[in-house]
Amino acid sequence: MATINNIMEDLVFTEVNKIYDELLLNPKSWFECGCQQCRLDTMCYVLNRIKPYYVKSSRGLAHFLKSDELDYRQLSVDITTLAIQGAEQVAKNKRPHAEGLEEVRGPVFNFPAITGRILDGKTFLPINDIEVYLKMGQTNVEQLNALWENPYIISEKTAGTYSFLPKYARATDVGVNQVFPFSIVVDAPGYAPLNYYFKVGVQSREDIKTEVSMQNYLRLPDLFLF
């Protein structure tokens, strides 16, 4: 059975490990830790800010590397820049490591990662350099950790795509079903304000989910600004 792979994961994995290995040999003033968790957090930071590229075979990889539309040298520079930024951000917003994670008593509602695209209503092209908010009522939804931002600032590297990972909510018991109201809010210069309302149904669990998987991922429909 064929598998689908995001080539960017391999490129980011290699570059982030290279950056951390160099930091261990020649540490910067802000650098404190080069453990596996810090590296994985940095990889997530980078992958949340670049456009994925999926292939299902070695032929697909060859096409990717030879694509006329791809400036591989610039891509490498972008990944390196983001990796350094991510390492600094991880060091600045250091969270407890695996052996010292926050202990939460009682069950919780784990939310899926939420993603979608913002497009121009006339040209159907992605809109960049805008802030996208995830809200519950009038309040910005707190994210699971500092690697996920709210508001999310869309750049040209993500082709109009935004992503969020809401922090878990407390529950009264395991197996409780509850529906949570969210909204995507955009107020970009030159466009009419956008408010897109949606609901997420979640069943409470005993454990906190900290990893993103395709089984816990919600893709919203494309949203258009006019």
Side-chain angles (χ1 to χ4, degrees):
M1 181 177 178
T3 58
I4 298 176
N5 299 297
N6 177 11
I7 291 177
M8 295 303 176
E9 293 183 7
D10 294 331
L11 297 178
V12 171
F13 178 88
T14 300
E15 186 60 29
V16 168
N17 279 317
K18 176 183 173 183
I19 294 295
Y20 272 94
D21 289 344
E22 291 176 351
L23 285 169
L24 287 172
L25 293 174
N26 301 291
K28 303 292 185 181
S29 59
W30 49 264
F31 179 72
E32 296 181 3
C33 180
C35 74
Q36 186 67 11
Q37 179 174 301
C38 289
R39 294 178 186 228
L40 290 174
D41 285 347
T42 301
M43 291 174 198
C44 289
Y45 179 95
V46 179
L47 288 169
N48 283 332
R49 289 161 177 79
I50 59 173
K51 184 179 179 180
Y53 193 99
Y54 297 100
V55 299
K56 63 177 181 179
S57 66
S58 58
R59 181 177 299 178
L61 175 60
H63 176 76
F64 169 80
L65 295 174
K66 294 181 179 179
S67 173
D68 292 336
E69 299 176 1
L70 174 69
D71 186 340
Y72 190 77
R73 183 174 299 178
Q74 183 60 50
L75 175 62
S76 297
V77 171
D78 292 341
I79 291 177
T80 300
T81 301
L82 285 170
I84 295 172
Q85 291 176 357
E88 290 189 54
Q89 188 74 3
V90 168
K92 184 186 303 182
N93 298 283
K94 189 162 53 179
R95 64 187 178 92
H97 283 43
E99 62 273 13
L101 288 175
E102 174 189 6
E103 182 179 352
V104 177
R105 297 172 181 237
V108 296
F109 293 103
N110 290 303
F111 297 106
I114 298 170
T115 186
R117 292 193 307 167
I118 305 294
L119 306 177
D120 186 289
K122 292 183 179 179
T123 65
F124 298 99
L125 295 175
I127 301 177
N128 303 316
D129 300 318
I130 60 173
E131 294 183 344
V132 182
Y133 292 82
L134 178 67
K135 291 182 176 286
M136 186 177 290
Q138 299 299 315
T139 304
N140 288 355
V141 176
E142 184 178 359
Q143 300 299 285
L144 184 63
N145 57 53
L147 300 176
W148 298 79
E149 302 171 341
N150 191 10
Y152 184 96
I153 302 176
I154 295 179
S155 73
E156 63 180 38
K157 299 292 187 304
T158 58
T161 301
Y162 59 85
S163 59
F164 298 101
L165 184 57
K167 185 179 180 179
Y168 57 84
R170 304 278 182 158
T172 57
D173 200 357
V174 174
V176 176
N177 293 308
Q178 186 167 331
V179 175
F180 293 84
F182 290 95
S183 63
I184 295 293
V185 177
V186 183
D187 191 2
Y191 294 93
L194 169 71
N195 288 271
Y196 176 77
Y197 298 92
F198 63 100
K199 296 179 179 180
V200 177
V202 187
Q203 184 177 79
S204 60
R205 299 168 43 130
E206 187 63 44
D207 57 315
I208 297 176
K209 201 164 190 177
T210 59
E211 303 297 330
V212 180
S213 69
M214 293 307 294
Q215 288 72 40
N216 195 36
Y217 213 86
L218 174 62
R219 182 172 181 83
L220 299 177
D222 289 346
L223 302 177
F224 298 89
L225 296 184
F226 293 92

